[in-house]
Amino acid sequence: MVQIASTITIDGPAGAGKTTIGKRVAERLGYSFLDTGAMYRAVALLAYRYQVNPQDERSLVRLITEHRLDTLPPTQSSSIIRLLVDGEDVTSQLHTPEIGSLVSHVSQWPAVRQKLAQEQRKLAQQGNFVLAGRDIGTIVLPDADLKVFLTASLDERIARRLAERRRVDPTTSAETVRAELIARDTLDSHRKASPLRIASDAHILDTTHISIEEAVAQVLSWIKQEQNR
Ligand code: DC
């Protein structure tokens, strides 16, 4: 049997399409999908609940040590790895504006990143995984079988995030989303620990003018190419 790429990494800025595209690619291949951003968001949720200062690295690490962060494997109907905090499935609570504004601060700390990266590597070792994030192809899994870096113009990423947010809160303004996205991009790209970078061996895909299905087809064709090498 031909061996196909068993770990696929998808990195890129917020709103580039990592989760939507990664989830579909995983579904097509029968793989598990891990959104590593959700892990950072789970730590931000803990900080929010227990009123821990996101600028205090030590207290954040203590939070991670004192609370249980677990994952639930995918089911027949969904490829997504769900996240548990102290046994509670928090997956649907991670995309609120409150968590969104905390998470870039929480994720800047090397000790927090080290702990989560360890967990991400452990999961990926099981094989047949698509992992999405910022540093997966560069730092977490530098030997991944296939690396993709997704981009999209700032305006397109704002439009996508705005549509998502308006489904929850129709009063959300474009200006708010623009300011949040620019702040997030700046923090993610300029932090000292594992900033957002394109791995030298990544395939780059600009999703500004293509559909989700076209992007999925492109990633699948790279996987096929890899398989025939
Ligand atoms: O993809 P997202 O918006 O859910 O990511 C949330 C935050 O976590 C974002 O500020 C970047 C950070 N993150 C990270 O630093 N490393 C990852 N591998 C994934 C996300």
Side-chain angles (χ1 to χ4, degrees):
M1 201 177 101
V2 185
Q3 189 68 35
I4 74 162
S6 157
T7 37
I8 297 154
T9 63
I10 304 185
D11 289 301
K18 300 182 300 291
T19 306
T20 312
I21 293 159
K23 213 164 59 181
R24 285 206 198 175
V25 168
E27 273 159 17
R28 298 287 165 80
L29 298 170
Y31 283 17
S32 305
F33 175 73
L34 178 67
D35 169 15
T36 62
M39 296 173 96
Y40 289 95
R41 286 172 182 271
V43 177
L45 180 71
L46 273 174
Y48 182 72
R49 283 185 178 173
Y50 293 93
Q51 297 292 296
V52 166
N53 180 353
Q55 304 298 345
D56 179 351
E57 184 176 21
R58 271 183 159 199
S59 299
L60 288 172
V61 170
R62 200 174 318 124
L63 257 187
I64 302 176
T65 318
E66 286 174 356
H67 294 269
R68 270 186 33 230
L69 290 176
D70 294 308
T71 52
L72 275 183
T75 59
Q76 286 225 313
S77 56
S78 167
S79 61
I80 296 182
I81 302 277
R82 301 186 70 84
L83 290 182
L84 303 182
V85 167
D86 295 327
E88 175 195 357
D89 184 344
V90 295
T91 315
S92 63
Q93 299 173 42
L94 301 176
H95 286 270
T96 62
E98 292 77 17
I99 301 304
S101 64
L102 274 179
V103 68
S104 291
H105 299 282
V106 165
S107 62
Q108 73 183 301
W109 299 112
V112 171
R113 305 197 64 83
Q114 227 171 39
K115 283 205 170 294
L116 297 190
Q118 230 172 29
E119 206 49 45
Q120 291 156 15
R121 288 189 190 108
K122 227 193 288 171
L123 285 165
Q125 258 172 18
Q126 299 170 11
N128 296 354
F129 253 84
V130 178
L131 298 97
R134 302 292 191 289
D135 61 339
I136 311 301
T138 49
I139 306 286
V140 179
L141 299 171
D143 298 325
D145 298 304
L146 185 90
K147 300 179 187 176
V148 176
F149 191 92
L150 293 184
T151 61
S153 70
L154 180 62
D155 283 346
E156 177 63 21
R157 295 189 291 118
I158 290 167
R160 291 175 187 170
R161 276 290 139 100
L162 186 61
E164 263 170 37
R165 290 276 291 279
R166 281 197 173 150
R167 278 198 284 276
V168 182
D169 175 5
T171 65
T172 311
S173 77
E175 290 68 36
T176 307
V177 172
R178 172 177 288 271
E180 284 173 7
L181 210 63
I182 291 174
R184 171 85 61 83
D185 280 357
T186 308
L187 282 167
D188 291 347
S189 308
H190 293 92
R191 66 175 177 233
K192 286 206 186 77
S194 316
L196 176 65
R197 292 268 179 276
I198 306 177
S200 58
D201 50 351
H203 295 269
I204 300 172
L205 181 59
D206 184 340
T207 66
T208 309
H209 301 294
I210 60 174
S211 68
I212 295 166
E213 265 315 303
E214 283 169 323
V216 170
Q218 177 60 77
V219 175
L220 290 173
S221 100
W222 282 327
I223 294 170
K224 208 161 171 201
Q225 250 175 44
E226 198 58 35
Q227 163 188 346
N228 294 328
R229 276 207 314 161

